[in-house]
Amino acid sequence: MVPLSRRTRTDVVVIGAGLAGLNAALHLQEGGARVQVLEARDQVGGRVHSMRQLGHSQEAGGTYIGAGYDRITSVCARVGIELVDVSPMLAFFREQDLVLGGELIRQSEWPEHPRNVFPDTFKDQMPWTLHRTLAVQDNPLPGPERWLDPEFAAHDVSVRSWLMGLGLDESAVRLAYDLNPSFGDHAGDVSVLLLFFRAAFSIAQRRSAPDGVLGYTVKNGVQRIPEAMAKLLEHDVHFGKIVTAITTNGHRAEVHCAGGAVYVAPHVVCALPVGVLRDLSIDPEPRASQLEAIRSVGSQPVTQMYFGHASRFWNEDGHAASIFTDGPAGMLAAARNGGHPEEVTSFTAWIMGPNAKQLDRLPERDAASIVLEAIEQARPASAGNLEYLGRKAWSRDPFARGAWTYYKPGQISRFAAKIGQPHGRIQFCGEHLSRNVRGMEGAMESGERSARAILTE
Ligand SMILES: Cc1cc2nc3c(=O)[nH]c(=O)nc-3n(C[C@H](O)[C@H](O)[C@H](O)COP(=O)(O)OP(=O)(O)OC[C@H]3O[C@@H](n4cnc5c(N)ncnc54)[C@H](O)[C@@H]3O)c2cc1C
């Protein structure tokens, strides 16, 4: 029995001070509820995480704010956060050369290159663009909001079978998807319906963009957004509260934290990432189908390593500053966070899927040496010019357990409707429960939805 003095009573306990939890809390507060937000870390933002110690507005999590992110842009307008137009930078992101089997290949050489095993009609596509281009061209969704419509369940099949249906053979599929996958380990591990949703969302974002503006970010760090949201709360976020269990009965819920604190309320909003939710004890347990969904959807391994540079080595070898590799360095992207888009401020190696898993098992220094060596081998001009600054390994983060959710083939039809079902006094929200939009805007949308469900009860 927990002593009464360790119990805090409120109307709603919100677990997790990421964008979903904070947006739920703000909507509930505006609806007249007394809200207490609990956060395991000593800061808000979760997967919006600015690496301020590295300078140059370097981000580890959400960075790009689509021009049609209405919820995010209106929060920014409300709290006076100025958005920076990233359109001039985006053109440079297309400048990227390819490294395959240790060979550095220019984009201009790729269509005729012997390693290009794409069918003739696709030979002008780079390995990182082909599946994205096809997900736009072959997209059955009239809009992103339709991706969960049973009408499209027939597309809940693997990316591999979809690409093979479009005429790619096994080696072309590997080249088109498996090199540094943003969802899953390989093309057989992810539903193409998810790629269609992402593509339909990007199209909708571009349509709603004001003339010439493709998207935004925030000067001095995107984390300023959740920080400003937390300041709007009447009751300060309680930090260092690692929630371990929720018990509910017909009228109220108890939220138990490591260390013994207990919060009691008629309603709980659980805004934890799905990878963390798996280990949370909920009594009584959710239905078996919901538990199965929570335990089986994927959480994408993504590790970012940050490098400073001593010289403009890309001028020396004449290749693009950024490279996309088939090795442990993943995609080495030149960051352009300075005053002018041409200025390269640092480099980030984006390592996804199986390579991230392997590196995450190693001590940080060993993992960094492997990546640095892979870059230097592919690009001798960079040798001695890159300095390792640090990393963010999302799967190793006990409060994230992965960067974002992905669905394996068949899981969207089986799980999407079940994974976020309210359970007793608990509403669930978070990026994994985005319905019509994605990313940061999706997290905001899901928080808003769970607040509305409580306020209209
Ligand atoms: C590398 C990366 C790049 C991205 N890039 C973009 C982008 O460019 N554009 C875009 O729109 N989106 C992007 N996203 C996605 C976007 O950042 C997320 O969708 C969004 O921030 C998720 O918000 P959330 O509130 O659902 O989850 P989170 O932000 O993860 O919030 C969950 C909160 O719960 C807390 N928590 C965890 N466990 C406990 C516990 N036991 N007890 C109490 N609290 C706990 C966490 O600390 C965290 O604060 C990116 C994400 C990553 C990781």
Coordinates of all heavy atoms in Angstrom, one line a residue, residues 345-386:
T345 N 28.5 23.0 -42.3 CA 28.9 23.3 -40.9 C 29.4 22.1 -40.2 O 30.2 22.2 -39.3 CB 27.6 23.9 -40.2 OG1 26.5 23.1 -40.5 CG2 27.3 25.3 -40.6
S346 N 29.0 20.9 -40.6 CA 29.5 19.6 -40.0 C 28.9 18.5 -40.8 O 28.3 18.7 -41.9 CB 29.0 19.5 -38.6 OG 27.6 19.5 -38.5
F347 N 29.2 17.3 -40.4 CA 28.7 16.1 -41.1 C 27.9 15.2 -40.1 O 28.3 15.1 -39.0 CB 29.8 15.3 -41.7 CG 30.3 15.9 -43.0 CD1 31.3 16.9 -42.9 CD2 29.9 15.5 -44.2 CE1 31.8 17.5 -44.1 CE2 30.4 16.1 -45.4 CZ 31.3 17.1 -45.3
T348 N 26.8 14.6 -40.6 CA 26.1 13.6 -39.8 C 26.1 12.3 -40.6 O 25.6 12.3 -41.7 CB 24.7 14.0 -39.5 OG1 24.8 15.3 -38.9 CG2 24.0 13.1 -38.5
A349 N 26.5 11.2 -40.0 CA 26.3 9.9 -40.6 C 25.0 9.3 -40.1 O 24.8 9.2 -38.9 CB 27.5 8.9 -40.2
W350 N 24.1 9.1 -41.0 CA 22.8 8.5 -40.7 C 22.9 7.0 -41.0 O 23.0 6.6 -42.1 CB 21.7 9.1 -41.6 CG 21.2 10.4 -41.2 CD1 21.8 11.6 -41.4 CD2 20.0 10.8 -40.5 NE1 21.0 12.7 -40.9 CE2 19.9 12.1 -40.4 CE3 18.9 10.0 -40.0 CZ2 18.8 12.8 -39.8 CZ3 17.8 10.6 -39.4 CH2 17.8 12.0 -39.3
I351 N 22.8 6.3 -39.9 CA 23.0 4.8 -40.0 C 21.7 4.1 -39.6 O 21.2 4.3 -38.5 CB 24.2 4.3 -39.2 CG1 25.4 5.2 -39.5 CG2 24.4 2.9 -39.3 CD1 26.4 5.4 -38.4
M352 N 21.1 3.4 -40.5 CA 19.7 2.8 -40.3 C 19.7 1.3 -40.3 O 20.5 0.7 -41.0 CB 18.8 3.3 -41.4 CG 19.0 4.7 -41.9 SD 17.9 5.8 -41.0 CE 17.4 6.8 -42.4
G353 N 18.7 0.7 -39.7 CA 18.5 -0.7 -39.8 C 19.6 -1.6 -39.3 O 20.2 -1.3 -38.3
P354 N 20.0 -2.6 -40.1 CA 20.9 -3.6 -39.6 C 22.3 -3.0 -39.2 O 22.9 -3.4 -38.2 CB 21.1 -4.6 -40.8 CG 19.9 -4.4 -41.6 CD 19.4 -3.0 -41.4
N355 N 22.8 -2.0 -40.0 CA 24.1 -1.4 -39.6 C 24.0 -0.7 -38.3 O 24.9 -0.8 -37.5 CB 24.5 -0.4 -40.7 CG 25.1 -1.2 -41.9 OD1 25.6 -2.3 -41.8 ND2 25.0 -0.5 -43.1
A356 N 22.9 -0.1 -38.0 CA 22.7 0.6 -36.7 C 22.7 -0.4 -35.6 O 23.3 -0.2 -34.6 CB 21.4 1.5 -36.7
K357 N 22.0 -1.5 -35.8 CA 21.9 -2.6 -34.8 C 23.3 -3.1 -34.4 O 23.6 -3.2 -33.3 CB 21.1 -3.7 -35.3 CG 19.6 -3.6 -35.2 CD 18.9 -4.9 -35.5 CE 17.5 -4.7 -35.9 NZ 16.8 -5.8 -36.6
Q358 N 24.1 -3.3 -35.5 CA 25.4 -3.9 -35.2 C 26.3 -2.9 -34.5 O 27.0 -3.2 -33.5 CB 26.1 -4.2 -36.6 CG 25.8 -5.6 -37.0 CD 26.5 -6.0 -38.2 OE1 27.4 -5.3 -38.7 NE2 26.1 -7.1 -38.8
L359 N 26.3 -1.6 -34.9 CA 27.1 -0.6 -34.3 C 26.7 -0.4 -32.9 O 27.5 -0.1 -32.0 CB 27.1 0.7 -35.1 CG 27.8 0.6 -36.5 CD1 27.6 1.9 -37.2 CD2 29.3 0.4 -36.3
D360 N 25.4 -0.4 -32.6 CA 24.9 -0.1 -31.3 C 25.3 -1.2 -30.3 O 25.3 -0.9 -29.1 CB 23.3 -0.1 -31.3 CG 22.8 1.2 -32.0 OD1 23.6 2.0 -32.4 OD2 21.6 1.3 -32.2
R361 N 25.7 -2.3 -30.7 CA 26.2 -3.4 -29.8 C 27.6 -3.1 -29.3 O 28.0 -3.7 -28.3 CB 26.2 -4.7 -30.5 CG 24.8 -5.3 -30.6 CD 24.8 -6.7 -31.1 NE 23.6 -7.0 -31.8 CZ 23.5 -7.2 -33.1 NH1 24.6 -7.3 -33.9 NH2 22.3 -7.4 -33.7
L362 N 28.3 -2.2 -30.0 CA 29.7 -1.9 -29.6 C 29.9 -0.7 -28.7 O 29.0 0.2 -28.7 CB 30.5 -1.6 -30.9 CG 30.4 -2.7 -32.0 CD1 31.1 -2.2 -33.3 CD2 31.1 -4.0 -31.5
P363 N 31.0 -0.7 -28.0 CA 31.3 0.5 -27.2 C 31.4 1.7 -28.2 O 31.8 1.5 -29.4 CB 32.7 0.2 -26.6 CG 32.8 -1.2 -26.7 CD 32.0 -1.7 -27.8
E364 N 31.0 2.9 -27.8 CA 30.9 4.0 -28.7 C 32.2 4.3 -29.5 O 32.1 4.5 -30.7 CB 30.5 5.3 -27.9 CG 30.4 6.5 -28.7 CD 29.9 7.7 -28.0 OE1 29.5 7.6 -26.8 OE2 29.8 8.8 -28.6
R365 N 33.3 4.2 -28.8 CA 34.6 4.6 -29.5 C 34.8 3.6 -30.7 O 35.3 4.0 -31.8 CB 35.8 4.5 -28.5 CG 35.9 5.8 -27.8 CD 36.7 6.9 -28.6 NE 36.1 8.2 -28.3 CZ 36.2 9.2 -29.1 NH1 36.9 9.2 -30.2 NH2 35.7 10.4 -28.8
D366 N 34.6 2.3 -30.4 CA 34.8 1.3 -31.4 C 33.8 1.5 -32.6 O 34.2 1.4 -33.8 CB 34.5 -0.2 -30.9 CG 35.5 -0.5 -29.8 OD1 36.5 0.3 -29.6 OD2 35.4 -1.5 -29.1
A367 N 32.6 1.8 -32.3 CA 31.6 2.1 -33.4 C 32.0 3.3 -34.2 O 32.0 3.2 -35.4 CB 30.2 2.3 -32.8
A368 N 32.5 4.3 -33.5 CA 32.9 5.5 -34.2 C 34.1 5.2 -35.1 O 34.2 5.7 -36.3 CB 33.2 6.6 -33.2
S369 N 35.0 4.4 -34.6 CA 36.2 4.1 -35.4 C 35.8 3.3 -36.7 O 36.4 3.6 -37.8 CB 37.2 3.2 -34.7 OG 37.6 3.8 -33.5
I370 N 34.9 2.4 -36.6 CA 34.4 1.6 -37.8 C 33.9 2.6 -38.8 O 34.2 2.5 -40.0 CB 33.4 0.6 -37.3 CG1 34.1 -0.5 -36.6 CG2 32.6 0.0 -38.5 CD1 33.2 -1.6 -36.0
V371 N 33.0 3.5 -38.3 CA 32.4 4.4 -39.3 C 33.4 5.4 -39.9 O 33.4 5.6 -41.2 CB 31.3 5.2 -38.6 CG1 30.7 6.3 -39.4 CG2 30.1 4.3 -38.2
L372 N 34.3 5.9 -39.1 CA 35.3 6.8 -39.6 C 36.2 6.1 -40.6 O 36.5 6.6 -41.7 CB 36.2 7.3 -38.4 CG 36.9 8.6 -38.7 CD1 36.0 9.7 -39.2 CD2 37.6 9.1 -37.3
E373 N 36.6 4.9 -40.3 CA 37.4 4.1 -41.2 C 36.7 3.9 -42.6 O 37.3 4.0 -43.6 CB 37.7 2.7 -40.6 CG 39.2 2.3 -40.7 CD 39.4 1.1 -39.8 OE1 39.1 0.0 -40.3 OE2 39.8 1.3 -38.6
A374 N 35.4 3.5 -42.5 CA 34.6 3.3 -43.7 C 34.6 4.5 -44.6 O 34.7 4.5 -45.8 CB 33.2 2.8 -43.3
I375 N 34.4 5.7 -43.9 CA 34.3 7.0 -44.7 C 35.7 7.2 -45.3 O 35.8 7.6 -46.5 CB 34.0 8.2 -43.8 CG1 32.6 8.0 -43.2 CG2 34.0 9.5 -44.6 CD1 32.2 8.9 -42.0
E376 N 36.8 7.1 -44.5 CA 38.1 7.4 -45.1 C 38.5 6.4 -46.2 O 39.2 6.8 -47.1 CB 39.1 7.4 -43.9 CG 38.9 8.5 -43.0 CD 39.9 8.6 -41.8 OE1 40.7 7.7 -41.6 OE2 39.9 9.6 -41.1
Q377 N 38.1 5.2 -46.1 CA 38.4 4.2 -47.2 C 37.7 4.6 -48.5 O 38.2 4.6 -49.5 CB 37.9 2.8 -46.8 CG 39.1 2.0 -46.3 CD 38.7 0.6 -45.8 OE1 37.6 0.2 -46.1 NE2 39.5 0.1 -45.0
A378 N 36.4 5.0 -48.3 CA 35.6 5.4 -49.5 C 36.1 6.7 -50.1 O 36.0 6.9 -51.3 CB 34.2 5.5 -49.1
R379 N 36.6 7.5 -49.2 CA 37.0 8.9 -49.6 C 38.3 9.3 -49.0 O 38.4 10.0 -48.0 CB 36.0 9.7 -48.9 CG 35.2 10.5 -49.7 CD 34.2 11.3 -49.4 NE 34.4 12.4 -50.4 CZ 33.5 13.3 -50.6 NH1 32.4 13.2 -50.0 NH2 33.7 14.2 -51.4
P380 N 39.4 8.9 -49.6 CA 40.7 9.2 -49.0 C 40.9 10.6 -48.7 O 41.6 11.0 -47.8 CB 41.7 8.7 -50.1 CG 40.9 7.6 -50.9 CD 39.5 8.0 -50.8
A381 N 40.3 11.5 -49.5 CA 40.5 13.0 -49.3 C 40.0 13.4 -47.9 O 40.4 14.4 -47.4 CB 39.8 13.8 -50.3
S382 N 39.1 12.6 -47.3 CA 38.6 13.0 -46.0 C 39.5 12.5 -44.8 O 39.4 12.9 -43.7 CB 37.2 12.4 -45.8 OG 37.3 10.9 -45.6
A383 N 40.5 11.6 -45.2 CA 41.4 11.1 -44.1 C 42.1 12.2 -43.3 O 42.7 13.1 -43.9 CB 42.4 10.1 -44.7
G384 N 42.0 12.1 -42.0 CA 42.6 13.1 -41.1 C 41.8 14.4 -41.0 O 42.2 15.3 -40.3
N385 N 40.7 14.5 -41.8 CA 40.0 15.8 -41.9 C 38.7 15.7 -41.0 O 38.0 16.8 -40.9 CB 39.6 16.1 -43.3 CG 40.7 16.9 -44.0 OD1 41.2 17.9 -43.5 ND2 41.2 16.3 -45.1
L386 N 38.3 14.6 -40.6 CA 37.0 14.5 -39.9 C 37.3 14.2 -38.4 O 38.1 13.3 -38.0 CB 36.2 13.3 -40.4 CG 35.5 13.6 -41.8 CD1 34.9 12.4 -42.3 CD2 34.5 14.8 -41.7

